[in-house]
């Protein structure tokens, strides 16, 4: 048996997951551990060449308002390997892009497919879609949350560190972005300490921070937000960053480049992390901006393992939501 599966066996239960996968705050610690256990099992089957058509005949509709490499390919390949099929739906090619309401689109697609993945801008639009759909809805990314990426991040950390509880994760960069929010939510659920370092004016959403901190306190871990990257990264087991200007922020890019210069992840900063730290980045990365090439391509980096794990983590989500429980 996979050694990580042995670690997780005692931490999971068989309770039913929520219908939708919108944010990690909707899921309990056991929910997340169940998904990680499933992801490890499915990954093991794939590596051994064992077919796993758990979703034979199932169809996933995928609505993209934001472009993507990893999200699109991993969901399409994941559905194919699970025995199902995925349909790419650009917002420019469906009636949603010509004025049909979100509610009407959700109601119609619910009668055609077995689940819907949405990658969009406003999280409120995703919530409206889920409220009107009668089938599972998965958040492929919004401006506020990126839960599928963070589930893959937790899977990667577990594989490389052998555990999650008690580890320290340090996020450096833009605090008010989807990765920061989902990292705080997911890490606090599994008992990881989180420190966020960001410039003034770029702090994480206060409501999300408060809720994640409450969960962290119950889990026996901590969440801290500071403007000092050297303080935040001290003794970190995991170091994470993201681009300084996400999609839709092109007009702010020049100002952000100046504001974030002190928050670059480089060798000088990483000397303050633990000697065996691992580095994560959801990609795409801008070498020489948020991270230097020697860190991104160096021995501490696990970014391509992390990218691969999008496939395995999402297959676990798809099986749980579109399967038979």
């Amino acid at each position: 048996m996979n050694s990580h599966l042995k670690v997780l066996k005692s931490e999971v239960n068989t309770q039913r997951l929520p219908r939708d996968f919108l944010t990690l705050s909707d899921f309990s610690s056991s929910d997340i551990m169940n998904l990680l256990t499933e992801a490890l099992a499915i990954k093991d089957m794939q590596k051994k060449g064992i077919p796993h058509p758990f979703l034979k005949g199932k169809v996933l509709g995928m609505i993209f308002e934001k472009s993507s490499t990893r999200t699109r390919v991993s969901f399409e390949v994941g559905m194919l390997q699970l025995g199902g099929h995925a349909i790419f739906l650009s917002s420019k090619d469906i009636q949603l892009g010509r004025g049909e309401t979100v509610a009407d689109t959700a109601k119609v697609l619910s009668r055609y497919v077995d689940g819907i993945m949405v990658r969009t801008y406003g999280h409120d639009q995703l919530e409206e879609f889920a409220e009107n759909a009668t089938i599972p809805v998965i958040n492929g990314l919004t401006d506020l949350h990126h839960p599928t990426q963070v589930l893959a991040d937790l899977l990667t950390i577990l594989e490389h560190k052998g555990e999650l509880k008690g580890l320290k994760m340090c996020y450096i960069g833009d605090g008010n972005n989807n990765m920061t929010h989902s990292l705080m939510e997911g890490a606090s659920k599994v008992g990881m300490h989180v420190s966020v370092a960001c410039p003034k004016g770029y702090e994480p959403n206060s409501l999300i921070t408060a809720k994640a901190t409450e969960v962290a306190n119950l889990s026996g871990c901590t969440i801290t937000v500071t403007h000092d990257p050297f303080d935040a990264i001290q003794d970190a087991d995991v170091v994470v960053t993201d681009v300084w200007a996400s999609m839709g922020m092109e007009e702010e890019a020049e100002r952000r480049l100046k504001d974030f210069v002190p928050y670059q992840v480089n060798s000088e900063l990483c000397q303050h992390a633990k000697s065996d730290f691992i580095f994560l980045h959801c990609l795409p990365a801008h070498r020489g901006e948020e991270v230097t090439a020697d860190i991104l391509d160096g021995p501490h980096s696990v970014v391509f393992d992390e990218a691969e794990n999008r496939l395995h983590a999402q297959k676990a989500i798809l099986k749980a939501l579109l399967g038979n429980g």
Side-chain angles (χ1 to χ4, degrees):
M1 179 185 291
N2 185 302
S3 60
H4 301 303
L5 287 176
K6 293 180 181 178
V7 172
L8 291 173
K9 280 289 186 180
S10 63
E11 301 184 50
V12 301
N13 59 40
T14 57
Q15 67 186 48
R16 183 71 179 179
L17 293 174
R19 188 197 73 174
D20 302 316
F21 194 83
L22 305 186
T23 74
L24 288 172
S25 65
D26 298 330
F27 291 77
S28 68
S29 175
S30 292
D31 290 336
I32 293 172
M33 298 311 264
N34 278 332
L35 288 170
L36 293 174
T37 301
E38 191 66 57
L40 287 168
I42 290 174
K43 182 174 182 177
D44 191 51
M45 283 188 278
Q46 179 173 321
K47 298 300 183 184
K48 292 177 179 177
I50 301 172
H52 44 284
F54 300 119
L55 298 182
K56 186 175 182 179
K58 299 284 186 176
V59 179
L60 177 73
M62 305 188 304
I63 296 177
F64 283 86
E65 289 193 305
K66 279 189 171 185
S67 59
S68 166
T69 298
R70 281 150 292 277
T71 299
R72 178 177 177 179
V73 175
S74 57
F75 269 109
E76 285 201 29
V77 172
M79 281 300 294
L80 178 65
Q81 292 178 347
L82 288 168
H85 183 69
I87 302 175
F88 174 76
L89 302 168
S90 167
S91 61
K92 298 177 182 178
D93 299 329
I94 60 176
Q95 297 299 327
L96 186 62
R98 298 178 58 192
E100 183 173 57
T101 67
V102 170
D104 287 353
T105 301
K107 291 172 183 176
V108 169
L109 290 180
S110 293
R111 300 190 177 213
Y112 294 149
V113 298
D114 301 288
I116 304 170
M117 188 283 298
V118 182
R119 184 177 171 95
T120 187
Y121 290 90
H123 192 77
D124 55 344
Q125 186 175 25
L126 176 72
E127 290 179 330
E128 182 183 358
F129 199 102
E131 287 172 5
N132 288 277
T134 56
I135 56 176
V137 175
I138 299 170
N139 179 1
L141 175 145
T142 66
D143 287 343
L144 207 58
H145 299 277
H146 200 355
T148 56
Q149 175 65 57
V150 169
L151 191 67
D153 291 356
L154 295 176
L155 180 61
T156 307
I157 297 166
L158 178 61
E159 287 184 315
H160 282 270
K161 292 295 184 181
E163 60 184 347
L164 295 173
K165 190 175 181 62
L167 296 180
K168 178 180 177 180
M169 173 191 292
C170 174
Y171 176 89
I172 297 175
D174 184 5
N176 190 24
N177 85 346
N178 48 27
M179 279 302 299
T180 319
H181 297 151
S182 288
L183 284 168
M184 290 193 301
E185 291 176 331
S188 63
K189 292 280 186 175
V190 298
M192 293 181 69
H193 304 284
V194 181
S195 60
V196 176
C198 59
K200 291 182 179 179
Y202 294 94
E203 293 83 3
N205 178 285
S206 59
L207 293 178
I208 294 173
T209 302
K211 188 172 182 179
T213 300
E214 183 178 347
V215 172
N217 291 338
L218 292 173
S219 301
C221 54
T222 59
I223 291 179
T224 59
V225 179
T226 178
H227 303 301
D228 184 346
F230 289 93
D231 180 56
I233 202 172
Q234 191 69 40
D235 294 325
D237 299 284
V238 183
V239 178
V240 191
T241 192
D242 193 7
V243 295
W244 291 341
S246 300
M247 285 179 284
M249 298 179 178
E250 288 76 14
E251 294 182 0
E252 304 175 27
E254 186 175 346
R255 173 172 58 83
R256 283 171 169 265
L257 284 175
K258 296 178 181 177
D259 291 344
F260 284 96
V261 167
Y263 296 85
Q264 182 187 72
V265 177
N266 52 41
S267 57
E268 179 186 1
L269 182 62
C270 289
Q271 287 178 1
H272 297 269
K274 286 186 178 177
S275 60
D276 62 346
F277 81 93
I278 58 173
F279 173 74
L280 300 177
H281 191 307
C282 63
L283 303 178
H286 297 159
R287 289 169 174 80
E289 290 186 12
E290 74 272 10
V291 60
T292 54
D294 63 316
I295 296 297
L296 186 68
D297 301 318
H300 294 279
S301 178
V302 295
V303 298
F304 295 108
D305 291 344
E306 176 188 10
E308 178 192 339
N309 279 337
R310 288 293 303 276
L311 172 63
H312 309 300
Q314 282 158 195
K315 284 162 78 173
I317 296 168
L318 290 166
K319 179 178 182 288
L321 299 187
L322 275 63
N324 297 316

